[in-house]
Amino acid sequence: MCDSKTERKRITNTANTIRDNTEKVPEEGFRVVITGKGGVGKTTITALLSHLFAEKEFTTLAVDEDPQMNLPYAIGVPREESDMIVPLTHNLDYVEEKTGARPGEGWGLMLKLNPDVTDVVERFGVKGPERVNILVMGTVVQAATGCLCPENALLESVVRYINLRENEVILMDTQAGVEHFGRAIAKGFDQALLVTDPTFNAVSVVKHSARLAKDLGIPYIHLVINRVRSERDITKVQDILGDTLDLFTEQFIIPYEEELLECEPDVRPMLSGDPGSSFITGVMDIQEKLENYGTKKV
Ligand SMILES: Nc1ncnc2c1ncn2[C@@H]1O[C@H](COP(=O)(O)OP(=O)(O)OP(=O)(O)O)[C@@H](O)[C@H]1O
Ligand SMILES: [Mg+2]
């Protein structure tokens, strides 16, 4: 399955080519934040969804909020190109240009808190395969109480700005844990995809995240139970979640898929494999539901 020659024709590597983004399906854009404990499958699912949305002619922006920056690899940007990506917060000149302060130059500087970042995707968006644009955010420095560093000021503006972009599906892959909810970086997102595997710790993170997502006012919070091998895995997760289950708009079950290991980090061969695989149909179901909620078909 991972042999590129067997890929379906629709999957072609057009990395670094300029796409025509004029075909726009949704009247309004919508934004999805993907969260969960480390290693539960956030990046894999975000990358697959990015391709599935792009295949349906959506203009897709995949945002990598994880300092590990592995979303471009998963989307299929060649390794030598991915390795060259400089994340937004490491573009010191840009941070300074926008916020008026250079990272690392000490605290107490006067910061422009709402800089105009309307050029950010144009200047720093990476053209991935197909119609997927990628924006790599980089590390968010945890500010001391009451302080705000230039990188954070910039990232918060970028998140606010990408929330305003129209006609675009934005999928934000996050670093493990719940910190992005604490920093309100996910505020304004329309949907949250909370990913877990059938382990107690991962489900506990989802349980916590669901409440935070609700408090942030995210209207549609969906649960993804990934790496499912048996019915027992599903009931285990549901039992741990208990009343929290009521917070979810949809529940998705994604089976364990051995082939992923052979293909990773690039997810595209999965999309070109057996179209009847329950792994792929599961991810397609997520795409369809996100689209329906995002375009108000439900
Ligand atoms: N359904 C699945 N079946 C089998 N393997 C899977 C499944 N989903 C994801 N994986 C594998 O699990 C590993 C971790 O996945 P991924 O990197 O997407 O997780 P993550 O939540 O983004 O991790 P991190 O928190 O470290 O960023 C990868 O090797 C991926 O191929
Ligand atoms: Mg990840």
Side-chain angles (χ1 to χ4, degrees), residues 39 41-44 64 66 68 70-71 173-176:
K42 301 178 290 297
T43 301
T44 305
D64 195 353
D66 185 349
Q68 297 296 321
N70 44 24
L71 186 60
D173 181 24
T174 57
Q175 79 185 97

Short mmCIF file of all heavy atoms in Angstrom, two decimals, residues 39 41-44 64 66 68 70-71 173-176, ligand 2:
data_model
loop_
_atom_site.label_atom_id
_atom_site.label_comp_id
_atom_site.label_asym_id
_atom_site.label_seq_id
_atom_site.Cartn_x
_atom_site.Cartn_y
_atom_site.Cartn_z
N GLY A 39 0.50 11.24 21.14
CA GLY A 39 0.54 9.98 20.41
C GLY A 39 -0.79 9.33 20.09
O GLY A 39 -0.82 8.19 19.61
N GLY A 41 -2.92 10.12 17.78
CA GLY A 41 -3.25 10.14 16.35
C GLY A 41 -3.71 11.48 15.82
O GLY A 41 -4.26 11.57 14.72
N LYS A 42 -3.48 12.55 16.56
CA LYS A 42 -3.94 13.89 16.14
C LYS A 42 -3.38 14.29 14.77
O LYS A 42 -4.11 14.72 13.90
CB LYS A 42 -3.49 14.97 17.17
CG LYS A 42 -3.98 14.76 18.57
CD LYS A 42 -3.47 15.83 19.51
CE LYS A 42 -1.98 15.77 19.80
NZ LYS A 42 -1.53 14.56 20.49
N THR A 43 -2.06 14.14 14.64
CA THR A 43 -1.42 14.60 13.40
C THR A 43 -1.84 13.74 12.22
O THR A 43 -2.12 14.26 11.13
CB THR A 43 0.12 14.59 13.59
OG1 THR A 43 0.43 15.45 14.69
CG2 THR A 43 0.84 15.06 12.35
N THR A 44 -1.92 12.44 12.43
CA THR A 44 -2.34 11.53 11.37
C THR A 44 -3.73 11.91 10.88
O THR A 44 -3.98 12.03 9.67
CB THR A 44 -2.38 10.07 11.92
OG1 THR A 44 -1.11 9.77 12.48
CG2 THR A 44 -2.75 9.07 10.87
N ASP A 64 -0.07 23.97 12.04
CA ASP A 64 0.67 23.13 12.98
C ASP A 64 1.03 23.96 14.20
O ASP A 64 1.88 24.84 14.15
CB ASP A 64 1.95 22.60 12.30
CG ASP A 64 2.56 21.46 13.09
OD1 ASP A 64 2.08 21.18 14.22
OD2 ASP A 64 3.51 20.83 12.59
N ASP A 66 1.94 22.47 16.98
CA ASP A 66 2.80 21.63 17.81
C ASP A 66 4.27 21.99 17.55
O ASP A 66 4.71 21.97 16.40
CB ASP A 66 2.55 20.15 17.43
CG ASP A 66 3.32 19.19 18.32
OD1 ASP A 66 4.20 19.65 19.07
OD2 ASP A 66 3.05 17.98 18.23
N GLN A 68 6.72 20.30 17.79
CA GLN A 68 7.44 19.20 17.11
C GLN A 68 7.39 19.35 15.59
O GLN A 68 8.18 18.75 14.87
CB GLN A 68 6.82 17.84 17.49
CG GLN A 68 6.91 17.48 18.95
CD GLN A 68 8.33 17.31 19.41
OE1 GLN A 68 9.15 16.77 18.69
NE2 GLN A 68 8.63 17.80 20.60
N ASN A 70 5.51 18.22 13.07
CA ASN A 70 5.52 17.05 12.19
C ASN A 70 4.33 16.96 11.24
O ASN A 70 4.24 16.04 10.44
CB ASN A 70 5.71 15.74 12.98
CG ASN A 70 4.86 15.72 14.22
OD1 ASN A 70 3.84 16.41 14.27
ND2 ASN A 70 5.25 14.95 15.22
N LEU A 71 3.46 17.96 11.28
CA LEU A 71 2.31 17.94 10.36
C LEU A 71 2.74 18.00 8.88
O LEU A 71 2.18 17.27 8.06
CB LEU A 71 1.33 19.07 10.72
CG LEU A 71 0.02 19.09 9.95
CD1 LEU A 71 -0.78 17.81 10.14
CD2 LEU A 71 -0.83 20.30 10.35
N ASP A 173 -3.77 21.38 14.15
CA ASP A 173 -3.20 20.27 14.92
C ASP A 173 -2.45 20.89 16.10
O ASP A 173 -1.68 21.83 15.94
CB ASP A 173 -2.21 19.50 14.01
CG ASP A 173 -1.59 18.31 14.70
OD1 ASP A 173 -2.18 17.78 15.66
OD2 ASP A 173 -0.48 17.90 14.27
N THR A 174 -2.69 20.35 17.28
CA THR A 174 -2.12 20.99 18.46
C THR A 174 -1.11 20.08 19.16
O THR A 174 -1.08 18.87 18.92
CB THR A 174 -3.23 21.32 19.48
OG1 THR A 174 -3.92 20.11 19.79
CG2 THR A 174 -4.19 22.34 18.93
N GLN A 175 -0.35 20.67 20.04
CA GLN A 175 0.57 19.86 20.82
C GLN A 175 -0.23 19.11 21.88
O GLN A 175 -1.35 19.50 22.23
CB GLN A 175 1.67 20.71 21.44
CG GLN A 175 1.31 21.48 22.67
CD GLN A 175 2.47 22.38 23.09
OE1 GLN A 175 2.49 23.57 22.78
NE2 GLN A 175 3.42 21.82 23.78
N ALA A 176 0.35 18.01 22.36
CA ALA A 176 -0.37 17.16 23.30
C ALA A 176 -0.77 17.95 24.55
O ALA A 176 -0.06 18.84 24.98
CB ALA A 176 0.52 15.98 23.69
MG MG B 2 1.19 15.23 16.49
#
